Amino acid sequence: VPVGTRVTFVNNDSRPHDMASNPHPEHTDCPAINDVGFLQAGSDPTDGNLVDGADVRFHDHNEPTNTTLQGSIVIQ
Ligand SMILES: [Cu+2]
């Protein structure tokens, strides 16, 4: 996505998840993703304002080794 894009994160799972940028547990790669934070199951979408150019990865802070709850966003 371009720098400054507002990305909407939607939790379509039946349980809550805690959005956090890599690496775990420092979460230093992308503060905007950390700001998304805790998403309730089926919760309203939450935007993250991605202003830093980077290839950032994210995970569920409560399940940091669960690869099905990880992803990446390229900001350029
Ligand atoms: Cu974490």
Side-chain angles (χ1 to χ4, degrees):
V1 299
V3 173
T5 297
R6 295 196 70 85
V7 173
T8 300
F9 297 91
V10 182
N11 181 4
N12 287 325
D13 202 355
S14 58
R15 57 203 175 100
H17 293 290
D18 189 3
M19 288 286 301
S21 70
N22 283 13
H24 177 82
E26 293 84 5
H27 306 156
T28 49
D29 281 2
C30 186
I33 288 179
N34 299 334
D35 288 345
V36 173
F38 199 74
L39 295 175
Q40 292 291 345
S43 67
D44 290 337
T46 303
D47 289 344
N49 192 18
L50 304 179
V51 295
D52 299 316
D55 180 355
V56 295
R57 296 179 180 278
F58 56 85
H59 61 277
D60 182 330
H61 181 58
N62 295 313
E63 300 180 52
T65 61
N66 185 342
T67 57
T68 67
L69 299 175
Q70 299 173 6
S72 66
I73 302 172
V74 178
I75 308 161
Q76 58 189 7

